[in-house]
Amino acid sequence: MERITSLTNAKVKFWTSLKDKKSRDEHGLFIAEERHLIEEACEAGLLETLLIKDGEKPYAACPDTYEVSEQILKKVSGTVSANRQIGIVRKPAQNAARERVLLLDEVQDPGNVGTLIRTAKAFGFDSVILSEGCADPYSHKAIRSTQGAVFSMNVIYADLKETIRSLRKNGIPVYGTSLKNAVSLEKIKPAEKAAILLGNEGKGVKPELLDLCDQRIVIPMDGFESLNVAVAGGILAYYFRKA
Amino acid sequence: MERITSLTNAKVKFWTSLKDKKSRDEHGLFIAEERHLIEEACEAGLLETLLIKDGEKPYAACPDTYEVSEQILKKVSGTVSANRQIGIVRKPAQNAARERVLLLDEVQDPGNVGTLIRTAKAFGFDSVILSEGCADPYSHKAIRSTQGAVFSMNVIYADLKETIRSLRKNGIPVYGTSLKNAVSLEKIKPAEKAAILLGNEGKGVKPELLDLCDQRIVIPMDGFESLNVAVAGGILAYYFRKA
């Protein structure tokens, strides 16, 4: 096992660069810090590199493992509290299934994006499709919020107009969430194939996207018409859960 | 309107102290920073004091309004980005209704606590009861996550064992969420009077509390048995929504 102690080592610089979305996108890699995330990345065959503190027992078997100093772990880490091990993880390959889909229009909080990926996984959805302007699903906060669901979910950036048209052409009904001109969720017959479109925390779904949907739907509420987008997504994904 | 420019003014020190839970608890006050929260606090008759930047038009009519310097706003604020106005808000009085209740056992993330209060309000619940060890619902992050629901919700710290016993004595069924030994939610007939017990993000509900419930319930999932507590609370609150 190689040992690295210099903060200016080229590998350390490269790992540290993965705190930025640009580098994550360019290299198809991201950082996992929680133990269970490192273990799950390894099980999914996605753990590229493991950094461990001098003398630690590695969380997972990884051929490319480095012993590093505490200063290096702190530098590579995205968190304030120092982790004892850090995994460099490959973004999962995408499969072709697109029958049960969440579409996110500019959901900007990384916790919400991560939680929606976790929820999609819990209710048997195969894909989460993000517009430009969504929070990066591979940031530390988003990854932590997915609780590992990101390792086995299609998470794709795409143009939502094109995606909605293509889904509908393939016989997948697209439901857009909206407080106005919308049918109550209870009136909708849950289908196994479905796409649910959720919007920005402040502004909701863009009208031009709602216009392309099969139906606008609203979750019936009691006077206070306000739900967090991840909670709304949870209620809808549960409603359309796989039988 | 009084004008304050000294950072060491006694009032400034007092307002700043409200960033700490201890002072919030002692004085029954908390800080609201977003414009709509200040407006809603005023409408609810809870806005005690308003601090505005020199020359600003106040967001709400408040007899106790002070013109202050930007430095003072920064000092009182809990956020990095400077706000132009800050409201000092009285915690709402609690009413006696306890028929539709969320019980939170050591939910430790302030965003989750705030989101659960918001969700409770959206689905016609009257009370959110917190165990010791829950995040303070009056911290800046929690308040922001409630989106104003905190102004009109019973939010109470109480011993959950005693609360569960008292609810059941009053004929309110108490449902504890649990992945083990639990009945699927779909098998439960939603009743208007109900209490739902949700647990800590990592550990779930304590077994000794589950033992006191009428029934353990689980949200049916598809293989990946993991939901964020606010999402789980949202699905359950929707299921038990007020007809």
Side-chain angles (χ1 to χ4, degrees):
Chain A
M1 184 168 14
E2 198 179 328
R3 192 162 184 282
I4 300 178
T5 54
S6 165
L7 284 166
T8 56
N9 178 291
K11 282 184 176 146
V12 174
K13 281 189 183 165
F14 172 63
W15 299 326
T16 307
S17 79
L18 297 174
K19 288 202 268 193
D20 295 322
K21 180 175 188 302
K22 204 181 147 202
S23 178
R24 289 195 294 267
D25 287 350
E26 188 182 338
H27 301 286
L29 296 170
F30 63 95
I31 296 170
E33 306 204 25
E34 283 74 16
R35 180 179 186 144
H36 76 100
L37 292 177
I38 293 172
E39 288 169 347
E40 285 171 40
C42 183
E43 274 168 44
L46 297 169
L47 185 62
E48 287 273 303
T49 299
L50 181 65
L51 317 181
I52 63 174
K53 205 175 140 183
D54 305 335
E56 284 269 311
K57 198 171 167 289
Y59 292 157
C62 178
D64 195 42
T65 296
Y66 298 86
E67 229 174 39
V68 299
S69 64
E70 198 163 337
Q71 284 71 26
I72 290 176
L73 285 170
K74 271 193 190 152
K75 190 174 178 191
V76 177
S77 167
T79 57
V80 184
S81 62
N83 282 288
R84 306 171 74 86
Q85 305 194 21
I86 288 178
I88 308 296
V89 181
R90 206 169 344 110
K91 291 185 185 181
Q94 308 302 334
N95 71 51
R98 300 277 189 281
E99 299 199 329
R100 295 174 52 70
V101 180
L102 294 189
L103 303 165
L104 309 189
D105 177 27
E106 295 194 21
V107 174
Q108 66 192 14
D109 180 83
N112 284 338
V113 169
T115 302
L116 283 161
I117 293 171
R118 177 181 180 184
T119 305
K121 182 77 187 157
F123 294 119
F125 282 68
D126 57 59
S127 308
V128 177
I129 300 182
L130 312 177
S131 75
E132 249 186 77
C134 278
D136 183 16
Y138 297 101
S139 73
H140 179 255
K141 196 177 169 197
I143 288 294
R144 207 178 39 182
S145 299
T146 72
Q147 287 288 311
V150 76
F151 300 131
S152 53
M153 175 65 63
N154 286 318
V155 179
I156 306 148
Y157 278 97
D159 180 274
L160 292 191
K161 281 190 185 176
E162 280 173 31
T163 305
I164 293 169
R165 288 194 189 103
S166 145
L167 284 164
R168 293 188 62 184
K169 222 167 78 181
N170 291 319
I172 317 292
V174 182
Y175 299 99
T177 51
S178 171
L179 290 174
K180 284 183 205 156
N181 304 322
V183 176
S184 175
L185 180 60
E186 295 155 329
K187 301 272 193 313
I188 306 290
K189 196 167 171 276
E192 186 145 318
K193 295 183 184 182
I196 299 165
L197 171 59
L198 297 154
N200 174 268
E201 289 84 349
K203 292 176 291 182
V205 177
K206 283 191 207 71
E208 58 264 38
L209 293 177
L210 286 174
D211 287 345
L212 297 176
C213 293
D214 289 87
Q215 193 123 50
R216 295 173 194 226
I217 55 174
V218 63
I219 296 169
M221 287 172 262
D222 188 42
F224 188 81
E225 295 226 313
S226 169
L227 285 175
N228 166 278
V229 63
V231 171
I235 292 167
L236 293 163
Y238 171 74
Y239 193 83
F240 288 93
R241 70 193 173 278
K242 221 164 170 170
Chain B
M1 184 168 15
E2 197 178 330
R3 193 163 183 279
I4 299 177
T5 53
S6 165
L7 284 166
T8 56
N9 179 291
K11 281 182 177 150
V12 174
K13 282 188 183 165
F14 172 63
W15 299 326
T16 307
S17 80
L18 297 174
K19 287 203 268 193
D20 294 322
K21 180 176 188 301
K22 205 181 145 202
S23 178
R24 290 195 294 266
D25 287 349
E26 188 183 336
H27 300 288
L29 296 170
F30 63 96
I31 296 170
E33 307 204 24
E34 283 73 18
R35 180 179 185 144
H36 76 99
L37 292 178
I38 293 172
E39 289 169 347
E40 285 171 40
C42 182
E43 274 169 45
L46 297 170
L47 186 62
E48 287 273 304
T49 299
L50 182 64
L51 316 182
I52 64 175
K53 206 175 141 183
D54 306 334
E56 284 270 312
K57 197 170 165 291
Y59 292 156
C62 178
D64 196 43
T65 297
Y66 298 86
E67 229 174 39
V68 299
S69 64
E70 197 163 338
Q71 284 71 25
I72 290 177
L73 284 170
K74 270 193 190 151
K75 190 174 177 192
V76 177
S77 168
T79 59
V80 183
S81 62
N83 283 288
R84 305 170 76 85
Q85 303 193 21
I86 288 178
I88 308 297
V89 181
R90 205 168 345 110
K91 293 186 184 179
Q94 308 302 334
N95 72 50
R98 301 277 190 280
E99 299 199 329
R100 296 172 52 69
V101 180
L102 294 190
L103 303 166
L104 309 188
D105 176 28
E106 295 193 22
V107 174
Q108 65 192 16
D109 179 83
N112 284 338
V113 169
T115 302
L116 283 161
I117 293 171
R118 177 181 181 184
T119 305
K121 182 78 186 156
F123 294 120
F125 281 69
D126 57 60
S127 308
V128 177
I129 299 181
L130 313 176
S131 75
E132 248 186 78
C134 278
D136 183 17
Y138 297 102
S139 72
H140 179 254
K141 196 178 168 196
I143 288 293
R144 205 176 42 182
S145 300
T146 72
Q147 286 288 312
V150 76
F151 300 132
S152 53
M153 175 65 64
N154 286 318
V155 179
I156 306 147
Y157 277 99
D159 180 273
L160 292 190
K161 281 190 185 175
E162 280 173 30
T163 305
I164 293 169
R165 288 196 190 104
S166 145
L167 284 164
R168 293 187 63 185
K169 223 167 78 180
N170 291 319
I172 317 291
V174 181
Y175 299 99
T177 52
S178 171
L179 290 174
K180 284 184 204 153
N181 306 321
V183 175
S184 175
L185 180 60
E186 296 155 328
K187 301 272 191 316
I188 306 291
K189 196 167 171 280
E192 186 144 319
K193 295 183 183 180
I196 299 166
L197 171 59
L198 298 153
N200 174 268
E201 288 84 349
K203 293 177 290 180
V205 177
K206 283 191 208 71
E208 59 264 37
L209 293 177
L210 287 174
D211 287 345
L212 297 177
C213 293
D214 289 87
Q215 192 122 50
R216 296 172 193 227
I217 55 174
V218 63
I219 297 169
M221 287 173 262
D222 189 43
F224 187 80
E225 296 226 312
S226 170
L227 285 176
N228 165 278
V229 63
V231 171
I235 292 167
L236 293 164
Y238 171 73
Y239 192 84
F240 285 94
R241 71 193 173 279
K242 221 165 170 170

